[in-house]
Amino acid sequence: MSLRWFIIHMSIRRKVTLLLLVPCGVVMLLAVTVLFAFQIRMFSEGHHREMSAVADVITANSTAAVAFNDGASATQILSSLHAISHITSAAIFLPDGTPFAAYGQPVGAPIIEVEERYFRQGNDAFMIHPLTLEGKQIGTLNIRSNYQAAHAGMLRLMAGMLATILVIGSVVGALLSNWLQKLVSKPILRLTSTAQAVADNNDYSVRAKVEPSGELGILTRTFNQMITRIQSQEIALLASQGKLEAILNSIGGVVWEADAATWTVNFVSRPFESMFGYRVDDWLKDRDFWMNIIFSGDRTRVLEVSRQAIAQKNSFLIEYRVRASDGRLVWVRESVSVEVADDRSARLRGLIVDVTEQKAAAENLERLNRRLLEVSRLAGMAEVATGVLHNVGNVLNSVSVSVNLLGDRLQRTRVSNLRRATNLLAEQNGNLAEFLTQDRQGKVLPEYLIRLSEFIETEQTEMQSEVRLLTQNVDHIKEIVARQQNYAKVSGIFEQIDPTELVEDTLRINGTAFEQHRVTVVRDFAPDLPRVVVDRHKVLQILVNLARNAKQALDASRPDGKILTFRIERTDEGKVAIRVRDNGVGIAPDALNRIFQHGFTTKKDGHGFGLHSGANAAREMGGCLSAHSDGPGCGAEFSLELPIAPKTTDVDGKPIPAMPVNGLASGGVLAADAPQTFQI
Amino acid sequence: MNFGYRIVASLAAVPKCLALRGPGILGLAILFVLSLNSKGARNTVPEHDVKAAFLLNFARFVEWPAEAFSSSNAPLVIGVMGENPFGDALQRTLSQQTARGRPITLRTVPEDEDGSHCHLLFVSQNLASSYEQILNRLKKAPVLTVGETAPFAKQGGIIEFNRVNDSVRFDINALAAESAGLRFSSKLLAVARTVLRSP
């Protein structure tokens, strides 16, 4: 409760009054004090001077009286001193000390002085003044004054006057300051009451009275401008708030906002009521309200997810069930964004959408999907069977060729000739030497036997190689069967293989057929080819299929000049392309469009499966299969693009994952940039 | 009252000199109210000793015109006409004295002379019968004439001694003094018993 505190808490009126009064009072007091001190000092000097002057006058006037020994005149002159109240007595003494004239009470013992002397003794002041005539002292004037009384009187008078001045000054100052302070405080008070009215009633239509000029004029004007701006902003704010609320309420979901630390909710949009049958205030007043209406089976999960997301400052999406006021369970999807301030989760904003219907629909869909999956599985098994039959059939072609060949050979074998030779030798019955040396037949027999054994040897070699091929094909069949047994496991074993090796294997499998049908095979392999990462058997299946298709296309077109070109090169996309080109019948554009579709075929005995499964397999390995033809009679080219083994990968190599493909889905045809080129 | 005046004057920041004028004015006032009455004073000295001192004082309180003196330091001449009643008292009184800075010379003036060479002429009592004649001779001359008995002043003398209650007083014929060109100090006028203004 210091003075400063007291002043600070004063009203502005008091402050201004104080401001005017205090300096005024202090100055006045100071002036009065100085004056008082000055007067006290001046009094003593003034008293001396006055006594001196009085003595001068009295002596001047009484010189003649003394000179002419006129005591009466002198007494008369002295008696004029009664006009000066503080002079109590006076006397003129002759040089010998005899009194000549006197006034008032006895002045005391005569004091004779040659020079004027002023001195104070006790309460009195004395003035001693010589009377001279023509340089000769003819008497001495002694004047006695009651100094103390005069001094006290002066002090009283002074004090009275100064007090009066102070009082009058204060009154005038107070009146003036009261009048002046109004000039300052009145506009401020008016402005204050206006501001108060604005603050109390939130009424921005109120305006302060504008002062004509000065800082207060600026203040009131700017205050009014401010109020006007606030008013227009408030109107705009209300409008946009209304708009925002309308928008929020029109959303088919509940929008809410809460503090991240306390979970106190400060906004919930209106649809909350229609969606769950509770009132908005229920949640606004009780922050746990929402958690309490969450289905008890989901509550823990929602809490955990929310806490974790807030801790990690991540937004999150969660679905759970809420118990509505009528008891039904509502499935909701809630997306909550976490606003981060000062590196800390500060605010949560959520959107709750009723997904009960979607949930039901999703469940339906899932049921349908499951059924579809079962159907698909069955269909898939049929496809697998078709694939197996096709691939096995392809290889079986070669097997049957080999078997026929072996049959032919065995039929045409010279073993019967050997039997005939051995029978001939047996018929000789001990005359073997003679037979061999004398008989015409016997003489050529050894030569014949040698030639026969050579022939048989050659035949055996040929048949052995054919049998080896046969064995290889049978192995291939076994492989196909084994693979199809594990069809669910889509990806097989990936290995890094030289692409030329793949082509050579293909040619080996189809080799006899090409020879029989007089097909010229051209190898056009680019140098320094990288290895590819593929499932060998899948690639072989594709290539064998392509080769067989090409051979059939060539058979259908011309009796001779059949050329089948195998070209291997790198593509711009960083893959290795194996292109199988024939100059056969070619493909019509509309057929080219559908060539990879399941079940499409131009052959009488075709399944319409080979190219389809080949394209799928190529895609599974991360490659693709495409077809190109300039039209019927112009031949066709099939390109199998395969991924290259990464150079950094070690030789054992981690398997390169195949592109995720739904093995059961039917293969689609994707349009490519070239008009007649289709890629899978 | 006086202090009140001064305080007000000081408050009004009036210069000090003005404040000191009060007593001056007061002093003048005192002179004007002086009464001519005088009570008897102890007078043990012989009458003519007093008169001799008075003569010296007259010379001191009267101002002669400048042309009455031959020079600025010419002596002031006091003449005695007729029988000298002072004995050697006058001589004694005047010796070594000055009046307005001038030395004083005492002379005896024969009765047949007009005494115009004197500045102050004392006409003795024994010439009372010829006062008029003597005074007529000196008309307009700057000579302060002093007589001892009536009707000296009435007949044109300037100062006339008389006795009041055994003390020596004097009357002044101001008109005569004026026509003689003499100026009396107001202080002298104040202690005179009577001042005659008209014949």
Side-chain angles (χ1 to χ4, degrees), chain A residues 626-677:
Chain A
S626 59
H628 177 84
S629 172
D630 290 334
C634 295
E637 186 183 81
F638 285 82
S639 298
L640 174 64
E641 290 182 25
L642 297 169
I644 295 169
K647 278 177 185 163
T648 49
T649 313
D650 50 359
V651 183
D652 300 337
K654 287 184 288 181
I656 301 290
M659 272 172 71
V661 166
N662 183 357
L664 298 175
S666 58
V669 176
L670 303 177
D673 34 349
Q676 294 188 338
T677 301

Side-chain angles (χ1 to χ4, degrees), chain A residues 361-375:
Chain A
E363 269 173 31
N364 249 335
L365 195 66
E366 211 182 313
R367 218 167 26 245
L368 282 173
N369 266 342
R370 268 201 301 275
R371 276 193 59 197
L372 195 64
L373 205 64
E374 278 170 34
V375 174

Side-chain angles (χ1 to χ4, degrees), chain A residues 258-273:
Chain A
D259 186 273
T262 62
W263 292 23
T264 311
V265 179
N266 53 41
F267 178 80
V268 177
S269 71
R270 202 52 62 181
F272 178 70
E273 303 190 341

Side-chain angles (χ1 to χ4, degrees), chain A residues 345-360:
Chain A
S345 297
R347 203 162 287 283
L348 307 175
R349 291 202 187 86
L351 172 64
I352 300 169
V353 183
D354 182 348
V355 290
T356 313
E357 281 176 28
Q358 286 100 306
K359 273 281 169 187

Side-chain angles (χ1 to χ4, degrees), chain B residues 76-148:
Chain B
L76 186 132
V77 180
I78 294 179
V80 177
M81 188 180 273
E83 187 181 314
N84 183 359
F86 301 103
D88 63 343
L90 186 59
Q91 183 69 47
R92 208 173 52 240
T93 305
L94 298 179
S95 73
Q96 305 299 317
Q97 297 296 328
T98 57
R100 295 178 176 268
R102 296 175 186 277
I104 298 169
T105 311
L106 181 65
R107 290 218 184 133
T108 304
V109 181
E111 284 157 38
D112 53 339
E113 281 184 23
D114 60 356
S116 60
H117 62 283
C118 299
H119 296 99
L120 191 153
L121 180 66
F122 177 78
V123 182
S124 181
Q125 206 172 354
N126 67 322
L127 294 177
S129 54
S130 53
Y131 278 163
E132 198 168 4
Q133 188 194 340
I134 296 162
L135 292 170
N136 278 338
R137 286 203 300 253
L138 286 170
K139 231 173 206 166
K140 308 270 181 177
V143 178
L144 175 65
T145 54
V146 180
E148 271 195 302

Side-chain angles (χ1 to χ4, degrees), chain A residues 348-665:
Chain A
L348 307 175
R349 291 202 187 86
L351 172 64
I352 300 169
V353 183
D354 182 348
V355 290
T356 313
E357 281 176 28
Q358 286 100 306
K359 273 281 169 187
E363 269 173 31
N364 249 335
L365 195 66
E366 211 182 313
R367 218 167 26 245
L368 282 173
N369 266 342
R370 268 201 301 275
R371 276 193 59 197
L372 195 64
L373 205 64
E374 278 170 34
V375 174
S376 301
R377 198 177 292 282
L378 293 173
M381 281 162 74
E383 194 179 5
V384 168
T386 315
V388 170
L389 290 177
H390 175 84
N391 289 332
V392 169
N394 276 350
V395 184
L396 275 178
N397 269 340
S398 301
V399 170
S400 109
V401 168
S402 298
V403 169
N404 282 343
L405 198 80
L406 281 174
D408 270 7
R409 288 278 158 88
L410 286 173
Q411 210 170 16
R412 287 188 281 127
T413 188
R414 305 287 167 88
V415 175
S416 55
N417 293 355
L418 185 61
R419 166 65 66 189
R420 276 212 316 270
T422 48
N423 285 346
L424 202 61
L425 286 174
E427 281 169 14
Q428 299 310 314
N429 258 340
N431 294 325
L432 197 55
E434 191 188 337
F435 175 73
L436 286 176
T437 54
Q438 302 301 323
D439 191 80
R440 186 183 49 94
Q441 274 185 315
K443 279 200 273 189
V444 292
L445 190 60
E447 183 65 20
Y448 176 76
L449 282 176
I450 291 166
R451 295 247 305 271
L452 187 64
S453 62
E454 280 174 357
F455 187 80
I456 289 172
E457 213 171 325
T458 310
E459 200 174 49
Q460 187 192 19
T461 313
E462 277 178 17
M463 288 196 334
Q464 269 175 346
S465 94
E466 200 59 42
V467 166
R468 208 162 40 240
L469 196 62
L470 192 60
T471 313
Q472 227 173 43
N473 282 335
V474 170
D475 278 349
H476 188 52
I477 290 168
K478 275 199 311 201
E479 190 71 36
I480 289 165
V481 172
R483 283 279 308 291
Q484 300 300 346
Q485 280 171 342
N486 295 322
Y487 200 83
K489 297 165 194 166
V490 171
S491 46
I493 299 153
F494 282 74
E495 41 190 330
Q496 297 189 2
I497 306 168
D498 185 347
T500 54
E501 195 181 313
L502 290 166
V503 173
E504 291 300 343
D505 279 354
T506 307
L507 288 174
R508 244 195 314 279
I509 293 169
N510 289 56
T512 334
F514 291 147
E515 271 173 39
Q516 283 176 354
H517 291 86
R518 293 197 300 282
V519 174
T520 311
V521 174
V522 177
R523 292 175 173 83
D524 179 9
F525 300 162
D528 297 333
L529 283 164
R531 293 164 87 85
V532 290
V533 177
V534 289
D535 181 339
R536 176 198 290 270
H537 291 287
K538 275 190 182 168
V539 175
L540 281 179
Q541 269 174 35
I542 296 166
L543 288 178
V544 166
N545 192 27
L546 289 178
R548 208 175 60 103
N549 284 350
K551 189 199 78 187
Q552 284 168 359
L554 287 167
D555 283 346
S557 70
R558 58 181 81 192
D560 47 31
K562 303 171 188 171
I563 300 166
L564 180 61
T565 310
F566 281 87
R567 198 162 79 237
I568 310 177
E569 62 189 8
R570 286 187 79 144
T571 67
D572 294 339
E573 288 83 32
K575 287 180 176 163
V576 166
I578 301 171
R579 304 190 199 281
V580 182
R581 180 172 184 78
D582 65 71
N583 53 355
V585 287
I587 308 165
D590 61 328
L592 199 59
N593 284 345
R594 298 182 294 141
I595 201 158
F596 293 109
Q597 282 180 20
H598 185 209
F600 176 81
T601 184
T602 53
K603 290 175 279 188
K604 285 184 202 124
D605 56 348
H607 299 95
F609 181 79
L611 285 174
H612 168 68
S613 71
N616 280 349
R619 214 161 47 180
E620 282 166 23
M621 289 184 289
C624 69
L625 181 60
S626 59
H628 177 84
S629 172
D630 290 334
C634 295
E637 186 183 81
F638 285 82
S639 298
L640 174 64
E641 290 182 25
L642 297 169
I644 295 169
K647 278 177 185 163
T648 49
T649 313
D650 50 359
V651 183
D652 300 337
K654 287 184 288 181
I656 301 290
M659 272 172 71
V661 166
N662 183 357
L664 298 175

